[in-house]
Amino acid sequence: MAKIKKLYTAVATSIGGRGSTNRTGRASTPDGRLDLVIDHPVELGGKYEGTNPDQLFAAGYGSC
């Protein structure tokens, strides 16, 4: 079996959000290039104070 060489490792931290009591949170990367308020979509009770995790996932997946 061929050994796969690791080219890059991405790291991000997410606190709060969908599972938290106040339903908002924050996601960031150690280099500061990403620092976002996370909120539910308005359609699901969000206050429109930030992006929602589904948008973030779609943007990341789409850019790959």
Side-chain angles (χ1 to χ4, degrees):
M1 180 176 248
K3 192 171 186 176
I4 298 173
K5 180 181 174 184
K6 183 184 346 180
L7 300 176
Y8 177 75
T9 300
V11 176
T13 302
S14 181
I15 299 171
R18 188 161 284 169
S20 69
T21 305
N22 67 0
R23 299 170 57 108
T24 59
R26 179 164 228 92
S28 62
T29 56
D31 62 7
R33 305 271 301 174
L34 178 73
D35 189 5
L36 299 169
V37 173
I38 303 296
D39 194 6
H40 280 265
V42 174
E43 297 85 355
L44 298 177
K47 297 176 263 176
Y48 204 69
E49 294 179 355
T51 189
N52 69 66
D54 306 289
Q55 291 171 321
L56 187 56
F57 179 78
Y61 187 81
S63 67
C64 288

